[in-house]
Amino acid sequence: MSADQMPDENRMFTGRCLCGGVHYTAHIFVGSKAPWFEITDALPQHAEFGE
């Protein structure tokens, strides 16, 4: 299933997306990101999906 086919409540993205019209709503899986990688924007951060 592609991102544009998902219901709005399930659309959460990380990383970079080259899709036109897509905007980020949150960072997911930050509990397993590299400790040296710093997220510097104001989006909500979730350790796991569905948190």
Side-chain angles (χ1 to χ4, degrees):
M1 175 181 295
S2 68
D4 58 348
Q5 295 172 322
M6 295 176 70
D8 287 339
E9 64 271 13
N10 292 331
R11 289 186 187 194
M12 297 197 314
F13 299 93
T14 62
R16 296 181 188 271
C17 181
L18 301 176
C19 307
V22 175
H23 66 277
Y24 303 115
T25 58
H27 295 281
I28 57 173
F29 303 116
V30 299
S32 60
K33 72 173 184 57
W36 47 260
F37 184 80
E38 182 179 356
I39 298 173
T40 59
D41 60 32
L43 292 175
Q45 298 181 25
H46 305 283
E48 299 177 348
F49 181 77
E51 217 181 33

